[in-house]
Amino acid sequence: EVQLVESGGGLVQPGGSLRLSCAASGFTFSEYGMSWARQAPGKELEWVSLIDSDGKRTMYVNSVKGRFAISRDNAKNTLYLQLNSLKTDDTAMYFCAKSSGSGMTWGPTYPKGQGTQVTVSS
């Protein structure tokens, strides 16, 4: 059974930073692309960043380019998202998701964790 457990969220001031982690189990982590997605109150779930199975290729939604960085440690079965220069618009529940294959893919029905809340506020 696929299990994804996100952590690292919290309350941070605008301009601050956070590092999110996603601990994966129940599948061969190194064989699958992964993604981060977020859902703000009253808005639809949107993908934020994608990474392929070996971490060599990444992709970001335009609104976070240059501020967020996705990475993975296949030896630790863990996915990361470094959030820098945070804005109030980044406030959302953040989820990690398992792709259907080794590439960078996203789908709202992909297996996700329970999420970790990021709140950006002064």
Side-chain angles (χ1 to χ4, degrees), residues 4-12 18-23 35-41 45-46 48 68 78-83 86 90-97 112-120:
L4 300 166
V5 180
E6 301 93 337
S7 62
L11 174 63
V12 63
L18 285 172
R19 189 193 196 200
L20 308 184
S21 298
C22 170
S35 59
W36 285 98
R38 66 186 179 185
Q39 187 166 26
L45 186 66
E46 66 166 350
V48 173
F68 291 8
T78 304
L79 177 73
Y80 303 100
L81 187 67
Q82 179 69 40
L83 290 65
L86 282 161
D90 295 319
T91 295
M93 184 72 78
Y94 284 71
F95 302 88
C96 65
K112 296 183 292 292
Q114 83 291 344
T116 186
Q117 178 67 39
V118 172
T119 302
V120 185

Side-chain angles (χ1 to χ4, degrees), residues 28-100:
T28 305
F29 182 72
S30 61
E31 294 183 355
Y32 289 89
M34 297 291 293
S35 59
W36 285 98
R38 66 186 179 185
Q39 187 166 26
K43 295 187 177 180
E44 293 186 353
L45 186 66
E46 66 166 350
W47 73 273
V48 173
S49 183
L50 312 175
I51 190 167
D52 66 356
S53 59
D54 58 13
K56 291 182 179 179
R57 293 185 301 150
T58 59
M59 185 178 293
Y60 300 91
V61 69
N62 284 342
S63 59
V64 309
K65 280 182 180 177
R67 300 189 298 120
F68 291 8
I70 190 171
S71 63
R72 63 191 296 160
D73 186 335
N74 285 347
K76 296 183 178 179
N77 290 349
T78 304
L79 177 73
Y80 303 100
L81 187 67
Q82 179 69 40
L83 290 65
N84 298 324
S85 303
L86 282 161
K87 305 176 181 180
T88 55
D89 286 348
D90 295 319
T91 295
M93 184 72 78
Y94 284 71
F95 302 88
C96 65
K98 170 186 171 289
S99 296
S100 58

